[in-house]
Amino acid sequence: MPIKDIIMRSLDLEEINIEKFDYVFRNNQNFYFITLVSRGRFCPNCHTFSKKVHSYKDKKIKHSFLIKEELTVIYHQRRYICPHCHKTFVEDNPFCAEHSHFSSLTINKTLSLLKDYNQTFSSVSRLINISVSQVIEIFDQYVQIERKPLQEVICIDEFYFSKHSKDKFACLLIGFKNGLVLDVLKSRKKAYLRSYFRMIDKSERDIVQFISMDMYDNYRDIAHIYFPNALCCADSFHIIKNINDALNKIRCKIMNRYKDNKKSDEYYLLKYKHHLLFMDSLKISADHIKYNHHFQYKLSQNALLEKLLNIDNELKYAYELKEMYIIFNDSHEDNNKIREHLEMIITAYQLSHIPLFVELGNTLSKWKEEIINSFHTYKGRRINNGPIEGRNKYLKIILELANGYKNFQRYRNRVLYVFNKLEKPTDTKKIKLTGKIRGKYKTKNK
């Protein structure tokens, strides 16, 4: 296919609408000079049709339909004048907006590439052959997303945004039903959350039946104030993580006793086989026997775990306390049985004489009702923060690839744009941060 036809197709042009088409290769760039056939236009002010040309202007348009290739369209644009009201206006064209210096294809390709969380503004600028600031300008102009309506079950959790930001931790709201990112909030502080949820209409807030959260007091306090119809549910994965962290600290403390003798059986087990402490006990096999190079004979996973637990009584007791909660967490009992079982676990933790587990017992007691509520199900799924945990990894990747974001609103829009697959760009106000006010200056009279 001739290059002219390729360019015309990429610009959505037909031969019948082109008056003049020229090509020049200069300074390693491709320049295409285009003049359209004069068709006239209705005046936007008084709607009088006019074909009277007021003037011409060469408009430079970035057109990137080929990856990593410089291509510029010089559009010889007419400006018409209305014979009735004498208003001037430019002619219509199919390839670029009136006040834009990018072709529609360039804008669409830029926005399409930014839909991928692995792409940054810099990487897109290299692919499209426009500057980073121009990529950001396109994104800010076409991607400014409204928050999504609240759902019957919502998940809330914080994530680390930036050490340079006033609020280091931002907050993520996700719908449990379909994993839709409802919004990204600038702060997890109570004052900010109060001002945010207060702006949402009460009728919409009353739709929420369950709120899944980690054990952060601010979330629970806000939920009780602004979501009176909703039950707060403590995320079970977060509780188990806290229990595993406590068990791991005990393991490290015991392992440090043997650091002077790193060839000992105790150090080997605590250092290289500690994953057995955190595995699902039902998945630890007693039948699958494998040769162990340290002990120089065959051992099953069950035998290794038994050796590991026999190193120290505190470790063994902590492991049993951990297993006690895992069994409880997997139970399918009625509410009364769940309450009894949980109270028994809390008592066992508080009487364990292991400081870390005594503290955990107090925390479980404080969040007892929320833990019991977490056994509710929604459409066959137990309520938890799983949808958020699945997103957190990608939130960090977007931040790390860009070396952080200074403009939180831009980051928020990027997250909503990337994760909500059906989200489409819209033409809205720009969100560029306001800079310093320029001082007064005098112009010289010519």
Side-chain angles (χ1 to χ4, degrees):
M1 185 182 291
I3 188 66
K4 180 181 176 181
D5 293 341
I6 296 172
I7 298 297
M8 285 172 52
R9 180 174 292 184
S10 68
L11 290 170
D12 199 20
L13 282 172
E14 295 180 3
E15 185 75 42
I16 195 172
N17 293 322
I18 296 177
E19 182 179 290
K20 190 176 180 183
F21 185 98
D22 290 320
Y23 165 73
V24 174
F25 183 76
R26 186 191 305 152
N27 298 330
N28 292 323
Q29 290 189 47
N30 298 291
F31 291 91
Y32 293 89
F33 297 84
I34 296 175
T35 304
L36 300 179
V37 173
S38 179
R39 302 289 186 192
R41 184 184 167 190
F42 286 96
C43 173
N45 186 45
C46 66
H47 307 291
T48 302
F49 185 79
S50 175
K51 285 189 71 174
K52 186 177 180 181
V53 178
H54 175 269
S55 59
Y56 286 89
K57 180 183 177 181
D58 285 339
K59 183 176 181 179
K60 188 182 287 188
I61 300 167
K62 284 280 186 180
H63 182 56
S64 299
F65 78 100
L66 296 173
I67 296 296
K68 294 187 177 180
E69 185 169 333
E70 289 280 342
L71 195 153
T72 304
V73 172
I74 307 298
Y75 169 38
H76 197 52
Q77 187 181 53
R78 292 181 185 85
R79 178 171 285 276
Y80 296 112
I81 185 167
C82 176
H84 183 261
C85 68
H86 305 292
K87 196 86 174 175
T88 62
F89 45 92
V90 298
E91 66 180 341
D92 291 324
N93 72 81
F95 48 81
C96 115
E98 184 175 341
H99 300 292
S100 175
H101 288 276
F102 305 102
S103 67
S104 300
L105 187 68
T106 302
I107 292 170
N108 291 336
K109 186 159 285 190
T110 300
L111 295 173
S112 176
L113 287 168
L114 287 171
K115 196 77 173 165
D116 181 0
Y117 71 89
N118 282 312
Q119 296 287 356
T120 64
F121 295 124
S122 298
S123 66
V124 171
S125 75
R126 289 191 292 271
L127 290 170
I128 301 294
N129 270 307
I130 58 178
S131 70
V132 177
S133 61
Q134 287 173 329
V135 174
I136 293 172
E137 182 184 348
I138 290 171
F139 181 79
D140 287 350
Q141 184 177 356
Y142 291 91
V143 183
Q144 190 177 166
I145 302 169
E146 298 285 334
R147 71 165 185 86
K148 304 303 171 191
L150 298 176
Q151 299 180 6
E152 292 176 335
V153 184
I154 61 173
C155 306
I156 184 169
D157 196 12
E158 71 277 356
F159 64 94
Y160 188 76
F161 177 63
S162 171
K163 65 179 180 180
H164 301 296
S165 175
K166 181 181 177 182
D167 299 298
K168 294 179 174 57
F169 286 90
C171 193
L172 188 64
L173 281 177
I174 283 188
F176 181 76
K177 179 182 178 180
N178 51 10
L180 184 74
V181 179
L182 305 179
D183 209 350
V184 186
L185 313 185
K186 192 174 184 179
S187 173
R188 64 171 182 172
K189 292 179 180 177
K190 188 181 288 188
Y192 183 86
L193 295 175
R194 283 174 68 100
S195 64
Y196 176 83
F197 287 113
R198 188 170 53 201
M199 298 301 292
I200 300 175
D201 192 78
K202 186 178 182 298
S203 60
E204 185 181 345
R205 287 188 271 117
D206 288 343
I207 293 171
V208 181
Q209 298 175 11
F210 300 97
I211 304 177
S212 179
M213 62 187 72
D214 61 15
M215 293 185 290
Y216 183 51
D217 290 332
N218 282 358
Y219 297 152
R220 182 170 59 178
D221 295 343
I222 290 295
H224 288 160
I225 297 170
Y226 294 102
F227 299 93
N229 298 337
L231 291 176
C232 297
C233 305
D235 178 40
S236 58
F237 296 112
H238 182 77
I239 298 170
I240 292 170
K241 181 181 180 300
N242 287 349
I243 294 171
N244 284 338
D245 287 345
L247 179 60
N248 193 48
K249 286 177 182 177
I250 293 167
R251 174 193 71 87
C252 292
K253 181 183 72 173
I254 296 167
M255 186 178 70
N256 286 336
R257 297 175 194 165
Y258 300 96
K259 64 181 179 181
D260 295 331
N261 184 14
K262 294 185 177 181
K263 293 184 178 180
S264 64
D265 296 346
E266 292 83 0
Y267 188 85
Y268 165 77
L269 289 165
L270 291 163
K271 177 74 174 177
Y272 300 107
K273 297 298 176 183
H274 65 274
H275 64 277
L276 296 171
L277 295 170
F278 311 106
M279 277 180 66
D280 184 345
S281 57
L282 296 176
K283 295 181 180 178
I284 296 177
S285 174
D287 301 324
H288 183 66
I289 299 171
K290 188 178 178 181
Y291 182 79
N292 185 283
H293 290 279
H294 176 83
F295 291 105
Q296 296 184 350
Y297 56 86
K298 291 183 178 180
L299 285 165
S300 65
Q301 286 184 327
N302 195 45
L304 284 168
L305 177 61
E306 192 175 339
K307 283 178 175 289
L308 183 57
L309 296 176
N310 286 334
I311 292 172
D312 188 271
N313 288 332
E314 184 182 10
L315 181 66
K316 187 175 184 179
Y317 191 20
Y319 177 78
E320 290 170 354
L321 291 171
K322 187 267 293 188
E323 283 296 300
M324 190 184 296
Y325 191 88
I326 296 296
I327 293 167
F328 159 75
N329 190 61
D330 292 337
S331 63
H332 300 280
E333 301 169 329
D334 59 57
N335 271 9
N336 292 330
K337 290 286 185 182
I338 287 171
R339 186 178 295 275
E340 289 175 14
H341 200 167
L342 179 58
E343 287 173 351
M344 183 183 71
I345 290 171
I346 291 169
T347 303
Y349 277 38
Q350 291 174 333
L351 298 177
S352 65
H353 302 295
I354 303 174
L356 289 169
F357 277 84
V358 172
E359 186 180 345
L360 276 172
N362 295 333
T363 303
L364 295 179
S365 178
K366 185 179 175 183
W367 286 80
K368 181 165 61 176
E369 294 303 321
E370 288 74 20
I371 294 169
I372 293 168
N373 291 340
S374 73
F375 282 85
H376 282 87
T377 58
Y378 179 78
K379 295 190 175 180
R381 294 163 59 202
R382 183 176 166 184
I383 295 168
N384 56 65
N385 263 12
I388 280 189
E389 297 303 327
R391 298 287 192 280
N392 278 344
K393 173 186 173 183
Y394 301 102
L395 292 172
K396 292 175 184 176
I397 290 173
I398 292 173
L399 283 170
E400 287 172 2
L401 288 176
N403 285 326
Y405 277 72
K406 185 178 179 181
N407 188 325
F408 178 81
Q409 187 69 10
R410 184 174 293 140
Y411 175 73
R412 171 197 172 276
N413 286 335
R414 184 80 200 281
V415 169
L416 289 166
Y417 185 60
V418 167
F419 290 124
N420 296 343
K421 297 300 180 186
L422 299 178
E423 197 67 60
K424 294 181 179 179
T426 54
D427 190 1
T428 57
K429 294 180 181 178
K430 295 183 181 180
I431 59 165
K432 186 175 180 181
L433 293 175
T434 53
K436 294 180 180 178
I437 299 172
R438 185 169 62 182
K440 294 181 180 179
Y441 63 95
K442 295 180 181 179
T443 56
K444 294 180 180 180
N445 296 324
K446 292 184 179 179

